[in-house]
Amino acid sequence: MQTFIKNLASLVDQEVEIKAWLYNKRSSGPIAFLELRDGTGWVQAVAAKSDLSATVWEDVEKATQESSVVILGKVAKHPKKENVFELQVKDFKIIQLAQEYPIAHKEHGPDFLMENRHLWLRSKKQWAILRVRDSIITAIGEYLHKELFIKVDSPVFTPNACEGTTTLFPVPYFDLGTAYLSQSGQLYIEAAIASVGRCYDFGPVFRAEKSKTKRHLTEFWMMDAEAAFVEHEENLKIQEGLVRYIIRYCLNNCQEELRILERNTEPLEKADNPFTRYTYDEAIKKLNELGSDIKYGEDLGNDDEGILTKDSEVPVFIEKWPKSIKPFYMKRDSVNPDLVLNDDLIAIEGAGEIIGGSQREDDYDLLLSRIKAEGLNIEDYQWYLDLRKYGSVPHAGFGIGLERMVRWVTGVEHIRECIPFPRTIGRLKP
Ligand code: 4AD
Ligand code: MG
């Protein structure tokens, strides 16, 4: 029966069958050290010529990097390393003898690796990133369900913009004209809260971002959460609770992955503390003090986010931005109607913005005037305006960029490694 590498700890001294790929092989005379990967983990198998028939030993010698294999072996504790296990090979079969593998165990340039992304995913670091990504997805679902959110989801083809018209991807849509790939499902889950109270979506969103940065993809995954009867203050609490839950979850469940990634986990441990809060106004003043030439009314750039969080051990909320630089749906601050009740959450260690959120305008007339002022087509938003006609309630929500979060937790430099098949302005393949 097939056993998984993850479960070997409980099978010491037993004979097990592992189906895997040969990641690496070192031979020293009549002994071969085979490093195997089965998806659940990594294990070293030790094959001794003296234990094996001549034909089996021949196969061991012949096996190439990335050959798929079946191994029968006895589980043993590693002679020196605590909590590490090995296999003593009793039988070895090749399922498919791999041709010469393009990604050798040496340094390759990023372009070459990106061209071979379909193969690169098998490398140890990429394996670890994929698993951290999965853990973050799991943590998000767990936290939200504990907070009584349910998953509702939103469409990818949409008739209108959610986050400004400049980054829309148009798609010809039969006789109905042009559809746009969704930039965020927010508007749709705002509709769903009147049915289920609190909900979220989680899926790919699209932005025709011309920016070539280490933090921008044209297709990325976003979790949008929305809750009825939640206002600005509570919105921030939910966001902080979520991010701290994700961090704790990864620290507890991704130890091997973070070790492979050589991630210093201390900053993550320290980040699980109350987050800092600045108003936009305070943030601009602080930035100017710290040497940035940003002016009131401008969006924060990458450098500004870095400067603002440089000495912080915890992520920083920047709340209450000028309405002029934020989308139409954000609710005005009753104290100063030039501001909106929103927040950007900036992570530490140069990770940048990970969340954008706000309380939503719930008044029909005010929302209508914002839609008009933005020059948007009112007809496209009629359904969204309807929500303010039938039992409108104060409500708020936010969106977290999955790959931005993966980038922070893993500590990898470029966001293109944080999604299995990245799409950027210059890349559509593989
Ligand atoms: O701040 P954004 O644009 O907010 C919204 O879309 C809201 N409608 C969300 C909501 O309130 N439900 O995007 C949310 C997050 C950002 O904070 C960032 O983490 C990520 O999405 N993001 C990107 N990630 C990768 N590549 C890009 N081009 C991104 N643009 C935004
Ligand atoms: Mg934003």
Side-chain angles (χ1 to χ4, degrees), residues 143-416:
Y143 174 83
L144 289 173
H145 280 100
K146 275 193 229 280
E147 297 292 326
L148 304 179
F149 288 76
I150 70 162
K151 190 163 181 281
V152 162
D153 285 331
S154 51
V156 167
F157 287 132
T158 59
N160 52 266
C162 178
E163 296 297 318
T165 48
T166 54
T167 62
L168 283 171
F169 274 112
V171 185
Y173 200 84
F174 305 107
D175 295 339
L176 299 181
T178 302
Y180 301 97
L181 299 181
S182 178
Q183 300 164 308
S184 159
Q186 177 199 322
L187 307 187
Y188 292 95
I189 59 169
E190 277 189 62
I193 57 167
S195 171
V196 299
R198 293 178 161 209
C199 60
Y200 69 102
D201 65 18
F202 207 153
V205 292
F206 306 85
R207 305 236 175 136
E209 301 265 13
K210 298 251 162 55
S211 27
K212 276 191 199 161
T213 77
K214 292 174 179 169
R215 310 187 306 163
H216 286 90
L217 294 163
T218 53
E219 172 176 341
F220 61 98
W221 281 59
M222 173 134 69
M223 189 286 289
D224 296 281
E226 197 71 26
F229 309 108
V230 164
E231 302 191 30
H232 178 66
E233 287 295 318
E234 195 182 350
N235 194 26
L236 265 58
K237 275 202 194 108
I238 296 171
Q239 293 167 42
E240 176 172 330
L242 171 66
V243 171
R244 291 175 63 179
Y245 191 90
I246 294 170
I247 292 170
R248 285 196 296 277
Y249 189 94
C250 292
L251 287 170
N252 290 331
N253 294 283
C254 302
Q255 281 160 3
E256 188 186 1
E257 290 83 355
L258 295 172
R259 189 183 47 72
I260 289 171
L261 292 164
E262 297 174 24
R263 176 69 161 109
N264 172 13
T265 54
E266 208 180 294
L268 292 176
E269 280 151 30
K270 287 188 179 156
D272 182 18
N273 274 297
F275 292 178
T276 302
R277 267 169 82 162
Y278 297 130
T279 60
Y280 173 85
D281 198 48
E282 288 166 345
I284 297 297
K285 285 195 183 110
K286 204 162 167 72
L287 279 167
N288 289 153
E289 275 163 31
L290 293 169
S292 163
D293 54 11
I294 188 170
K295 290 180 199 68
Y296 190 93
E298 288 177 357
D299 200 355
L300 269 66
N302 188 15
D303 291 347
D304 296 314
E305 291 178 355
I307 296 171
L308 203 61
T309 51
K310 191 166 58 71
D311 297 318
S312 183
E313 290 190 339
V314 292
V316 175
F317 281 114
I318 306 175
E319 58 172 344
K320 301 187 182 168
W321 291 55
K323 136 182 136 199
S324 54
I325 52 170
K326 285 294 177 184
F328 69 94
Y329 53 72
M330 293 184 177
K331 188 176 177 68
R332 296 194 308 186
D333 183 4
S334 58
V335 180
N336 178 353
D338 288 333
L339 305 180
V340 285
L341 296 174
N342 78 313
D343 66 277
D344 276 10
L345 181 62
I346 316 298
I348 52 170
E349 302 180 275
E353 180 195 328
I354 50 173
I355 286 183
S358 68
Q359 189 171 337
R360 319 304 188 186
E361 184 51 74
D362 49 77
D363 179 84
Y364 183 91
D365 294 322
L366 289 175
L367 185 60
L368 181 63
S369 67
R370 285 297 301 276
I371 291 173
K372 279 186 185 155
E374 299 269 324
L376 298 166
N377 180 7
I378 293 170
E379 212 173 280
D380 289 341
Y381 294 89
Q382 204 54 61
W383 68 272
Y384 184 66
L385 281 158
D386 266 0
L387 307 175
R388 278 71 180 165
K389 282 199 226 163
Y390 309 110
S392 190
V393 296
H395 64 286
F398 61 93
I400 184 167
L402 175 62
E403 291 77 17
R404 294 268 179 100
M405 195 64 204
V406 173
R407 180 166 172 261
W408 178 31
V409 172
T410 57
V412 306
E413 185 163 317
H414 204 298
I415 197 164
R416 67 187 167 209

Side-chain angles (χ1 to χ4, degrees), residues 108-111 113-114 117 120-121 123-133 213-217 261 402-404 406-408 410-424 427:
H108 291 284
D111 284 341
L113 290 171
M114 289 311 306
R117 183 66 177 164
W120 187 25
L121 286 180
S123 80
K124 228 175 216 180
K125 194 174 153 199
Q126 301 306 317
W127 173 89
I129 298 169
L130 287 179
R131 294 188 70 98
V132 171
R133 190 175 198 273
T213 77
K214 292 174 179 169
R215 310 187 306 163
H216 286 90
L217 294 163
L261 292 164
L402 175 62
E403 291 77 17
R404 294 268 179 100
V406 173
R407 180 166 172 261
W408 178 31
T410 57
V412 306
E413 185 163 317
H414 204 298
I415 197 164
R416 67 187 167 209
E417 290 184 48
C418 299
I419 184 164
F421 294 97
R423 301 291 177 242
T424 57
R427 178 159 302 280

